[in-house]
Amino acid sequence: MTPPDGLRGRLEPLPRSQLEADAPRVAPGLLGCVLRVGDRVGRIVEVEAYGGADDAASHAHRGRTGRNATMFGRAGLLYCYRSYGIHTCANVVTGAECEGQAVLLRAVELLGSDEDLAPVRADRPAARRRVDLANGPGKLCEALGITLDDDGTDLCGPGSRATLCYDGAAPRHRVARGPRVGISVATGRPWRFWVEGSPYVSR
DNA sequence: GACAAGATTGACT
DNA sequence: GTCAATCTTGTCC
């Protein structure tokens, strides 16, 4: 497979050790990284950190349940859940095992030529502009083809359908931060991070 | 078993 | 800016 337009270098899987810190520390470091799912590739431009039991806005706040079990797994797993009965949202599990910390992926810049993205556009006739294809947690999953079946995928595993990678170049962006979006509790924590000036962020 | 809530999105006014 | 869609999960009785 030929690498899509927009990559700066060769894709190297992210070392799991980088994900084993607390979510608010890991989150800004994920900006600029590349998420590959099957033959679709996106550069991460917006994330939100969710802590463990001490974060009232986190799914882990009420402890481990059937739905959030993946969140309590090892760092580097993909935690997927259904939001509002309609959309799928994707997180990267961080921190130590059993802590329940994760980083929500809110927006990516899809990489590839217009031709590469034709199937994505076909799935989303409402998104007229390229920047509208993956500028939100639900849209990101749809654009990259992430489903609930991908819950528990090891993003640091070489053979996984979904992997988290560097593309070899040092980040050139500035990181902006602010309060998280769409939550009703613990709104005071500025744990949303995005690439300053990027047109691909959700809001 | 019943019910309420939700880390969203897109259509409509 | 407002609001409905949609359905799974967790909680309560």
Side-chain angles (χ1 to χ4, degrees):
Chain A
M1 158 188 148
T2 54
D5 295 349
L7 280 183
R8 298 187 287 242
R10 218 165 73 83
L11 288 180
E12 298 284 348
L14 207 63
R16 195 183 310 279
S17 57
Q18 185 175 329
L19 302 173
E20 288 173 340
D22 289 343
R25 291 181 60 114
V26 172
L30 293 182
L31 296 177
C33 289
V34 171
L35 181 63
R36 184 191 61 77
V37 184
D39 59 356
R40 296 186 183 176
V41 183
R43 187 183 303 284
I44 298 170
V45 296
E46 183 183 353
V47 296
E48 279 179 6
Y50 286 88
D54 63 334
D55 181 5
S58 170
H59 288 178
H61 180 54
R62 292 171 182 270
R64 184 177 180 142
T65 65
R67 173 169 57 169
N68 66 16
T70 301
M71 240 183 142
F72 290 83
R74 71 190 302 203
L77 295 186
L78 183 66
Y79 165 47
C80 302
Y81 66 91
R82 190 174 293 290
S83 177
Y84 291 87
I86 310 169
H87 307 290
T88 306
C89 296
N91 299 247
V92 179
V93 176
T94 73
E97 200 162 344
C98 300
E99 282 188 340
Q101 298 192 42
V103 175
L104 170 69
L105 305 178
R106 287 195 58 89
V108 299
E109 170 190 353
L110 288 173
L111 303 181
S113 65
D114 286 340
E115 196 176 333
D116 293 332
L117 300 186
V120 183
R121 287 176 183 261
D123 288 344
R124 289 201 88 76
R128 292 188 183 83
R129 301 176 306 159
R130 187 185 176 105
V131 296
D132 292 328
L133 289 173
N135 58 343
K139 292 197 273 189
L140 178 155
C141 287
E142 196 164 323
L144 291 177
I146 297 172
T147 70
L148 293 181
D149 288 341
D150 295 305
D151 183 47
T153 297
D154 184 4
L155 295 170
C156 300
S160 300
R161 188 176 95 88
T163 50
L164 194 56
C165 308
Y166 284 122
D167 64 348
R172 293 177 221 163
H173 55 257
R174 287 169 60 97
V175 175
R177 67 184 296 176
R180 293 175 289 186
V181 175
I183 56 174
S184 53
V185 293
T187 51
R189 296 183 178 184
W191 284 2
R192 172 175 166 250
F193 304 87
W194 66 97
V195 173
E196 194 171 84
S198 171
Y200 296 94
V201 301
S202 62
R203 59 183 79 179

